[in-house]
Amino acid sequence: MEVFCNNKIPLFFLVLLATLTSLAQGQGTRNGFYQTSCPRVEAIVQSAVAAADRANAGVPPGLVRMFFHDCFVNGCDASILLNGPSSERTAPPNSLLRGFEIIDAAKTELERVCPGVVSCADILALAARDSVLLAGGIARWAVPLGRRDGLVSRAADTANLPAFNDAVDVQIRKFAEKGLNAQDLVTLSGAHTIGTAACALFSYRLYNFNNTNGPDPSINQAFLPTLRNLCPNGGDGSRRVALDTGSQNRFDNSYYANLRNGRGVLESDQVLWSNPTTQRLVQRFLGVRGLLGLTFNVEFARSMVRMGNIEVKTGTQGEIRRVCSAIN
């Protein structure tokens, strides 16, 4: 017996139409996407990240931030990599990003081995994962692939990126707008366990917080002299400081202990301890008795996969760039 909907169109054809539309718009990412078309993709990207780490171990961790900034602006489409007078790359929030040469190196080799196959967006997703693995303390996780590269990159679109001085409620809202929750926020902020920040992003907390001519009271008073020595008032704003004091080269949950102890470097990090919702999540990562614990390395991998699927372009959308810094 044939099933009809109210307007007499067979249900079978409606399902078929929906399927074809889905195919045209993209099916989403999946594991093993390049298994036959470019089976060496992961090894090639991993090699590029490892080579960069040997040359300057401070650069690869910036790939996580780059991936984050890419995904939060019109989806994970490598638009952050495009050059241009008013591209995302030129916007103030992206002015201190590092690691573009790592993506370029991987792309060059992939174009030699698998020309026109692997997107810059997928290279960035893999490189971000591999930069975390270099720090140790976390098991390798599968990165679903199949993203295509975007055709648009506008500096103006970066206005809603989560910022170093955002209040907790603002951060939660910005994450929610991308389909991520408060746990994703606290989890992904934990990437700062291997990151660094320029003095320019937090020195205001040390000397003139909110025009008080004094420091941010949430900074541990025993920690304040350390930060001031690293970032003197009026000093070099580009000097980089570890975001996870005492464990900056190891991927672990000590970042959360630093928040509890008033040793968060960025304001957006430290305020996670001031909000009941985010504080409870920090406590769960620390294994506070009486709360259901969270395992950082497991949750981080899950949240990275979730973030990596924000507004992806797949199927016939976008393109596969030949050079990551320019559209074809």
Side-chain angles (χ1 to χ4, degrees), residues 185-197:
L185 163 62
V186 175
T187 302
L188 292 171
S189 295
H192 290 167
T193 186
I194 57 169
T196 62

Side-chain angles (χ1 to χ4, degrees), residues 222-234:
F223 185 46
L224 184 60
T226 300
L227 291 178
R228 284 180 166 174
N229 286 335
L230 291 169
C231 300
N233 198 9

Side-chain angles (χ1 to χ4, degrees), residues 164-178:
F164 61 88
N165 58 351
D166 276 347
V168 177
D169 290 345
V170 174
Q171 295 184 65
I172 291 174
R173 173 179 58 78
K174 289 180 177 180
F175 270 66
E177 288 171 351
K178 298 301 177 181

Side-chain angles (χ1 to χ4, degrees), residues 76-299:
C76 308
D77 65 353
S79 53
I80 187 67
L81 304 178
L82 289 172
N83 274 326
S86 58
S87 67
E88 292 172 34
R89 198 164 166 171
T90 68
N94 296 327
S95 62
L96 297 176
L97 290 180
R98 301 188 297 170
F100 293 98
E101 71 282 359
I102 302 173
I103 306 302
D104 291 339
K107 181 61 171 175
T108 297
E109 179 62 12
L110 284 166
E111 284 299 300
R112 185 185 72 81
V113 176
C114 312
V117 173
V118 181
S119 69
C120 299
D122 278 344
I123 295 172
L124 179 53
L126 288 170
R129 188 270 312 273
D130 292 343
S131 71
V132 172
L133 296 180
L134 282 172
I138 184 170
R140 183 185 184 89
W141 71 89
V143 177
L145 301 173
R147 301 166 189 80
R148 288 171 65 85
D149 299 323
L151 303 174
V152 176
S153 182
R154 294 182 293 256
D157 291 342
T158 66
N160 287 323
L161 269 172
F164 61 88
N165 58 351
D166 276 347
V168 177
D169 290 345
V170 174
Q171 295 184 65
I172 291 174
R173 173 179 58 78
K174 289 180 177 180
F175 270 66
E177 288 171 351
K178 298 301 177 181
L180 303 177
N181 58 31
Q183 182 170 315
D184 292 312
L185 163 62
V186 175
T187 302
L188 292 171
S189 295
H192 290 167
T193 186
I194 57 169
T196 62
C199 289
L201 297 182
F202 64 89
S203 58
Y204 69 94
R205 299 184 67 211
L206 312 181
Y207 303 101
N208 189 26
F209 182 67
N210 288 345
N211 296 317
T212 61
N213 291 318
D216 182 343
S218 69
I219 300 176
N220 187 315
Q221 289 302 299
F223 185 46
L224 184 60
T226 300
L227 291 178
R228 284 180 166 174
N229 286 335
L230 291 169
C231 300
N233 198 9
D236 181 6
S238 65
R239 181 176 184 179
R240 303 197 74 86
V241 174
L243 290 169
D244 187 6
T245 305
S247 183
Q248 58 265 38
N249 296 318
R250 180 73 178 173
F251 193 88
D252 56 27
N253 71 347
S254 66
Y255 160 84
Y256 299 109
N258 280 331
L259 299 188
R260 179 186 56 195
N261 297 330
R263 291 174 174 262
V265 175
L266 297 179
E267 182 180 2
S268 57
D269 284 342
Q270 189 57 55
V271 295
L272 297 177
W273 187 253
S274 67
N275 175 280
T277 299
T278 52
Q279 183 187 99
R280 188 177 182 86
L281 289 163
V282 171
Q283 291 173 325
R284 291 177 66 187
F285 279 121
L286 290 172
V288 171
R289 183 177 296 180
L291 296 178
L292 180 64
L294 290 170
T295 304
F296 177 45
N297 55 5
V298 173
E299 298 304 327

Side-chain angles (χ1 to χ4, degrees), residues 22-29 146-148 312-318:
S22 176
L23 288 170
Q25 292 178 345
Q27 298 178 2
T29 58
R147 301 166 189 80
R148 288 171 65 85
V312 294
K313 297 168 179 62
T314 59
T316 59
Q317 299 169 324

Side-chain angles (χ1 to χ4, degrees), residues 16-33:
L16 178 61
L17 178 61
T19 301
L20 293 175
T21 300
S22 176
L23 288 170
Q25 292 178 345
Q27 298 178 2
T29 58
R30 60 181 172 85
N31 295 328
F33 185 84

